[in-house]
Amino acid sequence: MSFGRVIYGDNQFLGVNHASQDIAKRLHAEYSSTDRIIDALGHAYDSGIRDFMFTTHERYEEVFAEITRSALFPGLGFIPCVPYAHKYWTKISDLGVVGFAKATASELGYLNVASTLSGALTGRAGSLLGLLLKVELLMTKGLPVRGVFLQNAAFDFAMAMNQQWAIRGFADYVEGTLGVVPGFITMNHRRAEEFLCDSIEIKNPWICSNYNPAGFRMNPSSEDVCNSFSTCRSNNIAMSIFSSGRHVDKFKINEIAENSDRLGIKSFLFGSSKRENIEESFNMFMLKNNQQRAL
Amino acid sequence: MTDEVIMIVGGGKMGLSHAALLAGYIGASNVLICDSSRATRIVFRGLGFCVVRSVESALGSGGVRAAIIATPTVSHAEVLEKLIGAGIPCLVEKPLTLDVGKSTAIDEQVANTGVYAQVGFVLRFLSSFIALKKIVDSGCLGRVLSYKASMRGSAVGPSSNLSGWRGDSGLGGGCLNEYGPHLLDLCLNVFGEVCAVENTIGESKFSPRADDAIWTRLHHENGIRGQIHMDWADQSLRKSVAQFEVEFDRGRISVDQSSLDLVEVPEVTHAGELERIISQSRVPPNVHFYLRGEEFSLQLEAFLANIGYREFAMSEYKGECALVKDGLAVDQLISDIRESERRN
């Protein structure tokens, strides 16, 4: 299983804008409406996009219920990214680290946690993660899920602390139990590639990371990330290609799209709320309408 | 445990954040977590860290190269005194303390011993605020006449548990202790020392013993006037936003964590300099390891560079460290704001 060359993202629906807090606030309010999200998804679908990557935010529960109920967007694949870190961070703020662990165990059922923890201790790490994933993925019930990605807040956290068992457990559960593609979002591409390919020995892992002409969040350096993409040891999804609107070099972005194979890019992930921008970006990444490259 | 570790004192939310980020730089085996709670130590040991029960035990066993203090604010003074007394360089979370007298004593101890001590005013490391300071310092838009500064977010809400220290300003809770240090440090760092505080009004929405929102006016010694608004219970926002609107002789600019906009700039005598500053702020610097925002990584890199990790060299475009004297100035200003609120 694989993903399309163009994947529609959801930052706009959650009020995430790395370039402007005012735009972020406006989007956060605008997309509190289920209909507005479904409208924007419709624009992406009509453009030809068949993959939607999203965070498991409660905002989507109603959206997905409506998509399932009305059988909207046939053929659209769903790629949840877990966990919605903000939710857990707020809980840790309220309860502290130990209180958070207790509250989570209570939500999942102490008995479930005890049996899965003993599974983890005997080498079946996926059992505990599986339980957590089940809860996170409840909202996708009935939807055609193509892959599950680990958010950068969780993946980079686990990588920093060399928690190989957690990443291995996640990958095994997603691939083995759910039967879909596991993926990893990171802001540290080279380290992620080494960690996944060399330390955990996952073959050709899917990695989603920033790739843009401005070098925005290409850590530790633009050159470093370009090099690790181009090794092609991982299946790479390029995100933040427009650098959140900070530095849109149309010529260079088009050049990246045209040379994606050589650069080691399998797919492009972008989010937008306007129909014309979605169509234009899709056409550019699909190398259509090369005479009309304006964004 | 290796020969030299960096110790994180306090295994709460900020301790966890520092621990994970620091592990990304120097490896988890070189990070020591100090917390008096056995349950917390078990959690961190499970995450691969070395753990210790008290600062005294850690200092007794030797090998502590530096420390990051992320305990509740009420204990900062006591922990800092021990660590600085032992010659250990420190990065302490904001605010420095809850008592100007204690902050003054720490400032004096640092001055007498020469031990490096940094305060966690992390917003100083955001490109847009670095650019704001450069524009003010360069005078490329003339003198600053006045400004409005705000910090709003939804850190607490109707379902938050505020029965503990977070809902009690005397224990370090409330928006003035939580948002105030960040915003007020920027006001002091960018616009200079404050000579008077007036018209302070506080409002409690959810916290039993603290303000959830506060409004005040600052008079800076150089004549600049500022209007301040903080609200940590604004449910319309997903995360906290710090914003400045600054009125200059020759224009007005608007700045937040991620952008700097020229609102009205009809005549710019040093257009080249202004443009250079803004273009440098547009894309934040890359960092050695990213976890939860460039500003946290850059703050840590600055600390590491200052305690001898030469590979993490800083530049003026990456940010300026806040020291204990800056923490003391903020604590004094918070105390003055409280006094102004009482007068009202």
Side-chain angles (χ1 to χ4, degrees), chain B residues 134-272:
Chain B
K134 282 187 183 296
I135 290 170
V136 171
D137 289 349
S138 73
C140 62
L141 285 172
R143 285 179 309 127
V144 174
L145 304 176
S146 64
Y147 70 89
K148 289 180 184 171
S150 67
M151 188 157 180
R152 293 167 299 125
S154 53
V156 299
S159 59
S160 298
N161 176 11
L162 294 166
S163 57
W165 70 270
R166 293 184 81 216
D168 188 336
S169 63
L171 297 176
C175 82
L176 187 55
N177 285 321
E178 183 66 21
Y179 284 4
H182 284 306
L183 192 68
L184 298 172
D185 174 63
L186 284 175
C187 293
L188 291 167
N189 187 237
V190 174
F191 303 111
E193 286 181 34
V194 168
C195 57
V197 180
E198 63 180 21
N199 295 346
T200 305
I201 299 168
E203 183 190 355
S204 178
K205 301 177 194 175
F206 307 114
S207 300
R209 288 174 296 279
D211 287 326
D212 292 317
I214 204 157
W215 293 260
T216 191
R217 284 172 190 267
L218 305 182
H219 293 247
H220 291 263
E221 281 187 347
N222 50 20
I224 297 172
R225 293 184 172 210
Q227 283 183 43
I228 314 294
H229 173 213
M230 295 167 226
D231 186 342
W232 76 334
D234 182 342
Q235 306 305 303
S236 71
L237 293 160
R238 192 181 70 92
K239 60 177 194 175
S240 60
V241 179
Q243 278 178 312
F244 282 82
E245 266 186 43
V246 186
E247 193 83 41
F248 291 83
D249 280 332
R250 294 188 295 273
R252 189 152 57 91
I253 65 174
S254 171
V255 191
D256 61 31
Q257 283 110 309
S258 43
S259 61
L260 188 154
D261 296 316
L262 304 175
V263 184
E264 283 171 21
V265 185
E267 181 202 340
V268 182
T269 49
H270 301 286

Side-chain angles (χ1 to χ4, degrees), chain B residues 12-133:
Chain B
K13 184 180 89 160
M14 285 314 295
L16 177 65
S17 170
H18 282 299
L21 186 59
L22 189 55
Y25 278 83
I26 62 172
S29 60
N30 295 312
V31 180
L32 175 67
I33 308 293
C34 173
D35 198 291
S36 57
S37 152
R38 185 180 163 83
T40 300
R41 293 200 302 276
I42 290 171
V43 170
F44 276 95
R45 195 191 291 276
L47 290 169
F49 293 98
C50 302
V51 294
V52 67
R53 209 177 121 264
S54 67
V55 170
E56 288 80 1
S57 319
L59 293 178
S61 60
V64 177
R65 177 168 179 172
I68 296 176
I69 299 160
T71 53
T73 312
V74 282
S75 62
H76 282 185
E78 187 191 341
V79 177
L80 269 168
E81 191 193 350
K82 285 177 196 165
L83 290 167
I84 291 168
I88 306 290
C90 295
L91 164 60
V92 59
E93 261 307 326
K94 57 82 203 172
L96 180 57
T97 77
L98 298 171
D99 177 330
V100 175
K102 288 180 179 172
S103 296
T104 305
I106 292 166
D107 187 45
E108 284 168 3
Q109 192 188 10
V110 165
N112 292 337
T113 56
V115 174
Y116 181 74
Q118 190 176 319
V119 182
F121 294 133
V122 71
L123 298 193
R124 284 192 181 200
F125 293 89
L126 283 165
S127 301
S128 52
F129 293 136
I130 294 168
L132 169 64
K133 182 165 165 54

Side-chain angles (χ1 to χ4, degrees), chain A residues 14-22 24-25 28-29 57 84 86 89-90 92-98 101-102 152-163 165 186-188 190-191 212 214-222 243 245-247, chain B residues 11-14 16-17 19-21 23-25 27-28 37 39-40 43-44 46-49 152 154-155 159-161 166 234-241 243 254 256-259 261 281-294:
Chain A
L14 302 181
V16 178
N17 188 292
H18 302 298
S20 164
Q21 299 300 321
D22 285 338
K25 190 180 176 187
H28 184 64
H57 187 281
Y84 178 53
H86 195 67
W89 198 241
T90 306
I92 294 176
S93 297
D94 277 350
L95 307 172
V97 175
V98 175
K102 281 185 191 164
N152 58 292
F155 174 74
D156 287 335
F157 182 88
M159 179 168 68
M161 295 189 292
N162 198 26
Q163 299 290 308
W165 69 271
T186 182
M187 294 290 158
N188 308 283
R190 177 177 53 77
R191 280 175 73 158
N212 53 66
F216 171 56
R217 294 206 171 140
M218 292 173 71
N219 301 306
S221 71
S222 186
S243 313
R246 285 165 197 264
H247 195 276
Chain B
K13 184 180 89 160
M14 285 314 295
L16 177 65
S17 170
L21 186 59
Y25 278 83
S37 152
T40 300
V43 170
F44 276 95
L47 290 169
F49 293 98
R152 293 167 299 125
S154 53
S159 59
S160 298
N161 176 11
R166 293 184 81 216
D234 182 342
Q235 306 305 303
S236 71
L237 293 160
R238 192 181 70 92
K239 60 177 194 175
S240 60
V241 179
Q243 278 178 312
S254 171
D256 61 31
Q257 283 110 309
S258 43
S259 61
D261 296 316
S281 77
R282 206 162 282 146
V283 177
N286 291 126
V287 295
H288 289 263
F289 186 75
Y290 182 105
L291 190 62
R292 54 176 301 223
E294 285 86 4

Side-chain angles (χ1 to χ4, degrees), chain A residues 68-86:
Chain A
T68 316
R69 195 162 45 234
S70 305
L72 300 173
F73 315 130
L76 182 68
F78 291 79
I79 311 167
C81 300
V82 297
Y84 178 53
H86 195 67

